[in-house]
C-alpha cells in the first residue's frame, strides 16, 4: 500500500482519521449524468482534501463506447479546475466499454482492475458504484459475481457495492431486488444510498436530539402536539418526465427521503452512535408507524398533480404538458398525509407530511409543534399573536434550527407574541459543509455503513407506503389539482384543518 499524503487544511470538517486506503472505485454507468454531475466532483473534493490515498484510481464501465483517454477527458470536463492530485488520478483511471448483459464486460473489467491495481500499487480494496438505471442493478451484480468481483482478492481488503434509490417500485419488487443482490453480495457489503442522509442537517437531527439535555425530555407525546415534515420543491419535473411518470412523489420522495427523516425524528436514543445502534433504532421507529388501511388512505392521504401556474415570476406549464409526460397522466406530483406512530413515546401524536414539486419555494424542514400552555393567563386580545411553541429543524436551504416561543412585546401593555430564536449553520460554523455525495462516497470507501440504508429499513419503509400505492391503484383516491407556485391542493389543507391544526407557512 502506498503512503497516505499528509492532511491539508481543507480537510477540516471531515474526520481526518478516515482516509480512503489504496484502492479502486469502479463506477458502473460511468458515462452518465450522475457520474459527471455528482460523483466525479465529489471524488475530486475528497482528493483535494487529501482524503484519498495516492494509490487510488477510478475505473469507469458503461455501454457508451469510450477509450481510456475519452473517459479521462470526461473526467476533466466534469471537473475542469481540479488540482495536481486530481490530474494524477485522472491519468491513472481507465474505462471499459460493454453491455451489462454480456459476461465478457465483467471479465474485461476484472482484467483492467487487476492491471490498474498493479500499476498504482493497490492490493484489492474495491468499491463498485452502480450509477446506472435501477433496471440493471441485478444484471450488474450478477455480472460482477460471475467474474469473481464480489469477493475481495485478499484477506485484508474489502469489496463493497453502492447502489442508489429507487430500491424497487413496491414491496414485492424491493424484496426481489434484495434477494437478487444477496445472491452475490453479503448484506454487509451493500451500501444503499439515500442522499438525504448525506446532508449535514439531517445528521444534525441526531446531534440535536442526543447531544443535548434540553430537547429529549420534551421529545414525546406529553409535550408535542404534532409533527410536520415538509419537503417542498419549486422546480417541476424538468427533463425527467419519463422517469417521473413511473415514480410519482410517493415513490420518489416519501418512501425514501421522508421515511429517513421521519425515522431519525421518531427513533429512540441508540446505545451508541454507530451503524448498528442507529439503524436498529430507525427500523424500530418505522415498525411503530401505523400501516395505513384502505380507509385511512382515503381519509388521510391526498394526492395531487400540478397545473399550470407561476414559478419565480415565470409562467410555467402543467405537469401534463411537460416533456415525456402523458397528456392524461395520473401521476402525483404532490402528496400530503397523516401518519400515526403506535408506541409509548408517540401515541396520539399525528405526523403530517407533505411533499411536492412546483410549490412556492424549495424548503425541507421538520417542525415539532408543542402543546399550548394549559391555561393562558393573558387576555385574548393581548395574546392574539401568540402561537404554540415550535422547534423547527431547517434541513435546507438556509440550514438551521429555530425555536418559536412567546415573549412580551415591549411597551406599557402586557401583549405577548411569538419570537424566534434562530441558529443558522452559515453563521455558527462559517464553513461550507461537504456535499452529500462527498460524505457518502467517503463513508462507503472507508466502510462506515451508518448513513446507508439497511435492507430491513427499505423493507419497512415499503410496508408503510405499499398500502397507499395499492389503494391508489384501485383508484379509490382521486387525483386533485393545484396551480404551480401554490402550496398544494385545498384537500391538503382540509386534511390538517379537520384536526384543528394548520400547515406551517414557511
Ligand atoms: C431526488 C428525487 O431523490 O431528490 C428528485 O428523485 C428530487 O425528484 C431530489 O428533486 C431532491 O433532492 P434535494 O437534495 O434537492 O432535496
Amino acid at each position: 500500500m502506498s503512503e497516505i499524503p499528509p492532511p491539508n487544511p481543507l480537510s477540516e470538517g471531515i474526520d481526518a482519521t478516515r482516509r480512503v486506503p489504496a484502492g479502486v472505485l469502479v463506477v458502473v454507468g460511468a458515462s452518465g449524468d450522475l457520474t459527471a454531475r455528482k460523483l466525479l466532483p465529489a471524488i475530486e473534493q475528497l482528493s483535494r482534501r487529501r482524503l484519498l490515498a495516492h494509490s487510488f484510481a477510478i475505473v469507469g464501465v458503461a455501454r457508451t463506447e469510450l477509450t481510456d483517454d475519452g473517459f479521462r477527458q470526461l473526467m476533466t470536463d466534469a471537473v475542469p479546475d481540479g488540482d495536481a492530485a486530481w490530474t494524477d488520478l485522472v491519468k491513472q483511471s481507465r474505462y471499459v466499454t460493454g453491455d451489462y448483459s454480456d459476461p465478457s464486460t465483467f471479465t474485461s473489467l476484472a482484467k483492467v482492475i487487476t492491471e490498474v491495481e498493479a500499476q498504482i500499487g493497490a492490493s484489492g480494496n474495491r468499491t463498485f458504484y452502480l450509477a446506472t438505471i435501477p433496471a440493471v442493478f441485478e444484471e450488474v451484480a450478477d455480472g460482477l459475481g460471475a467474474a469473481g468481483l464480489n469477493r475481495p482478492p485478499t484477506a485484508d481488503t474489502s469489496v463493497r457495492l453502492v447502489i442508489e434509490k429507487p430500491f424497487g417500485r413496491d414491496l414485492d419488487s424491493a424484496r426481489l431486488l434484495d434477494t437478487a443482490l444477496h445472491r452475490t453480495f453479503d448484506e454487509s457489503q451493500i451500501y444503499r444510498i439515500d442522499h438525504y442522509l448525506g446532508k449535514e442537517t439531517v445528521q444534525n437531527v441526531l446531534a440535536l436530539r442526543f447531544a443535548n439535555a434540553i430537547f429529549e425530555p420534551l421529545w414525546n407525546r406529553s409535550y408535542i402536539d404534532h409533527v410536520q415534515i415538509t419537503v417542498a420543491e419549486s422546480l417541476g419535473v424538468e427533463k425527467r418526465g419519463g422517469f417521473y411518470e413511473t415514480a410519482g412523489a410517493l415513490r420518489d420522495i416519501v418512501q425514501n427521503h421522508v421515511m429517513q427523516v421521519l425515522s431519525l425524528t421518531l427513533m429512540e436514543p441508540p446505545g451508541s452512535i454507530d451503524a448498528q445502534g442507529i439503524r436498529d433504532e430507525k427500523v424500530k421507529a418505522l415498525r411503530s408507524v401505523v400501516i395505513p388501511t384502505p380507509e385511512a388512505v382515503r381519509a388521510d392521504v391526498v394526492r395531487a398533480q400540478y397545473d399550470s401556474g407561476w414559478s419565480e415570476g415565470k409562467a410555467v406549464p402543467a405537469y401534463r404538458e411537460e416533456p415525456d409526460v402523458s397528456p392524461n397522466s395520473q401521476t402525483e406530483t404532490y402528496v400530503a398525509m397523516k401518519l400515526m406512530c403506535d408506541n409509548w413515546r408517540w401515541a396520539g401524536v399525528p405526523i403530517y407530511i407533505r411533499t411536492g414539486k412546483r410549490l412556492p419555494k424549495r424548503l425541507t424542514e421538520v417542525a415539532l409543534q408543542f402543546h399550548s400552555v394549559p391555561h393562558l393567563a393573558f387576555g385574548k386580545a393581548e395574546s392574539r399573536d401568540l402561537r404554540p411553541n415550535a422547534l423547527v429543524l431547517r434541513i435546507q436551504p438556509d440550514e438551521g434550527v429555530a425555536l418559536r416561543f412567546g415573549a412580551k412585546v415591549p411597551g406599557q401593555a402586557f401583549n405577548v407574541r411569538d419570537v424566534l430564536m434562530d441558529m443558522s449553520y452559515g453563521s455558527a460554523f462559517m464553513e461550507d459543509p461537504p456535499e452529500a455525495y462527498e460524505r457518502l462516497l467517503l463513508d462507503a470507501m472507508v466502510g462506515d455503513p451508518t448513513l446507508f440504508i439497511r435492507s430491513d429499513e427499505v423493507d419497512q419503509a415499503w410496508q408503510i407506503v405499499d398500502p397507499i400505492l395499492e389503494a391508489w391503484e384501485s383508484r379509490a383516491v382521486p387525483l386533485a389539482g393545484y396551480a404551480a407556485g401554490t402550496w398544494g391542493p385545498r384537500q391538503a389543507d382540509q386534511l390538517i384543518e379537520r384536526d384543528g391544526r394548520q400547515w406551517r407557512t414557511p
Side-chain angles (χ1 to χ4, degrees):
M1 264 188 214
S2 81
E3 216 179 286
I4 291 171
N8 87 354
L10 281 175
S11 63
E12 273 173 34
I14 295 188
D15 179 353
T17 59
R18 302 182 332 131
R19 294 212 158 73
V20 178
V24 174
L25 172 67
V26 179
V27 180
V28 185
S31 57
D33 186 51
L34 178 70
T35 308
R37 236 174 2 95
K38 296 285 183 191
L39 304 184
L40 295 174
I43 293 292
E44 194 274 336
Q45 276 302 308
L46 292 175
S47 148
R48 193 179 280 266
R49 293 179 198 262
R50 304 287 184 265
L51 290 169
L52 302 178
H54 276 316
S55 305
F56 182 85
I58 298 179
V59 176
V61 193
R63 289 184 275 223
T64 307
E65 196 131 345
L66 277 183
T67 59
D68 286 335
D69 280 340
F71 181 56
R72 291 175 189 137
Q73 188 56 49
L74 182 152
M75 290 177 74
T76 308
D77 291 345
V79 189
D81 52 358
D83 64 6
W86 174 248
T87 312
D88 287 347
L89 202 162
V90 169
K91 274 193 213 136
Q92 51 208 28
S93 293
R94 300 275 304 270
Y95 186 82
V96 176
T97 304
D99 202 280
Y100 307 133
S101 60
D102 181 353
S104 72
T105 303
F106 297 97
T107 39
S108 309
L109 175 63
K111 193 165 151 272
V112 169
I113 293 174
T114 314
E115 285 167 15
V116 171
E117 286 174 343
Q119 189 200 332
I120 63 175
S123 58
N125 287 308
R126 299 165 179 177
T127 305
F128 294 93
Y129 195 113
L130 271 49
T132 61
I133 52 165
V136 300
F137 283 171
E138 186 176 337
E139 200 166 63
V140 174
D142 284 346
L144 293 170
L149 289 168
N150 54 337
R151 296 279 162 252
T154 60
D156 56 353
T157 54
S158 331
V159 167
R160 303 187 183 102
L161 181 78
V162 184
I163 58 172
E164 193 159 351
K165 65 115 190 163
F167 309 119
R169 49 175 291 104
D170 53 24
L171 181 59
D172 287 346
S173 56
R175 286 183 174 166
L176 286 175
L177 172 66
D178 249 17
T179 310
L181 295 179
H182 289 152
R183 268 201 307 264
T184 37
F185 288 88
D186 186 72
E187 176 62 21
S188 64
Q189 295 177 287
I190 303 175
Y191 285 63
R192 294 179 194 78
I193 285 196
D194 179 315
H195 78 277
Y196 262 57
L197 290 178
K199 292 180 193 279
E200 286 286 320
T201 42
V202 172
Q203 295 161 35
N204 190 46
V205 177
L206 292 174
L208 185 92
R209 293 191 56 194
F210 306 131
N212 295 292
I214 54 172
F215 299 117
E216 200 48 27
L218 308 181
W219 208 273
N220 57 56
R221 65 191 306 275
S222 305
Y223 295 91
I224 293 174
D225 173 75
H226 74 277
V227 178
Q228 285 190 28
I229 299 181
T230 301
V231 179
E233 295 184 87
S234 58
L235 292 177
V237 282
E238 309 303 294
K239 294 182 188 141
R240 298 166 71 230
F243 155 75
Y244 203 82
E245 279 285 88
T246 66
L250 189 69
R251 288 189 175 96
D252 191 39
I253 300 284
V254 177
Q255 193 276 339
N256 34 75
H257 306 326
V258 168
M259 287 296 152
Q260 287 305 312
V261 172
L262 177 73
S263 59
L264 292 170
T265 308
L266 300 185
M267 69 188 257
E268 294 299 315
S272 62
I273 299 284
D274 60 17
Q276 180 165 355
I278 292 180
R279 300 197 297 179
D280 284 354
E281 291 303 338
K282 282 169 64 196
V283 183
K284 244 173 68 193
L286 289 179
R287 282 202 193 112
S288 305
V289 172
V290 179
I291 308 280
T293 59
E295 295 68 43
V297 174
R298 259 192 301 275
D300 297 335
V301 185
V302 172
R303 60 194 299 257
Q305 188 186 77
Y306 64 81
D307 218 325
S308 56
W310 291 85
S311 177
E312 283 154 16
K314 279 200 307 228
V316 291
Y319 174 70
R320 288 176 186 166
E321 292 158 16
E322 301 275 17
D324 303 322
V325 170
S326 154
N328 307 314
S329 173
Q330 291 295 307
T331 304
E332 81 287 355
T333 60
Y334 176 99
V335 183
M337 63 173 78
K338 174 166 87 167
L339 291 177
M340 299 302 288
C341 181
D342 258 356
N343 62 20
W344 195 270
R345 184 187 285 265
W346 294 111
V349 179
I351 301 145
Y352 299 99
I353 292 166
R354 61 180 164 164
T355 181
K357 296 212 181 268
R358 282 282 185 240
L359 299 186
K361 56 158 114 163
R362 177 170 185 253
L363 169 104
T364 299
E365 66 168 35
V366 180
L368 294 102
Q369 179 160 317
F370 293 86
H371 291 302
S372 303
V373 292
H375 167 67
L376 198 59
F378 309 95
K380 260 208 169 100
E382 286 82 359
S383 57
R384 97 182 138 235
D385 295 328
L386 183 68
R387 289 171 295 170
N389 299 140
L391 179 67
V392 182
L393 283 56
R394 282 193 312 270
I395 307 284
Q396 65 187 25
D398 186 21
E399 291 78 1
V401 178
L403 183 64
R404 180 175 79 195
F405 60 97
K408 181 182 177 304
V409 182
Q412 308 298 345
F414 216 104
N415 291 335
V416 285
R417 73 161 172 84
D418 306 333
V419 289
L420 266 196
M421 199 150 75
D422 204 340
M423 168 272 190
S424 136
Y425 269 76
S427 45
F429 295 107
M430 314 285 267
E431 74 178 80
D432 292 332
E435 265 283 306
Y437 276 92
E438 199 184 320
R439 168 70 201 244
L440 294 174
L441 268 169
L442 177 70
D443 282 4
M445 292 190 292
V446 300
D448 178 356
T450 312
L451 298 177
F452 296 83
I453 308 172
R454 216 165 53 186
S455 158
D456 51 352
E457 285 184 76
V458 176
D459 197 275
Q460 200 56 43
W462 275 121
Q463 289 194 45
I464 299 166
V465 163
D466 222 38
I468 303 177
L469 287 170
E470 270 170 26
W472 287 358
E473 268 151 31
S474 66
R475 293 192 182 269
V477 180
L479 181 70
Y482 61 102
T486 64
W487 278 109
R490 150 182 75 76
Q491 289 85 337
D493 294 336
Q494 290 163 350
L495 166 78
I496 190 165
E497 284 166 8
R498 192 177 73 198
D499 295 345
R501 302 182 175 101
Q502 283 193 324
W503 293 111
R504 289 171 37 78
T505 37

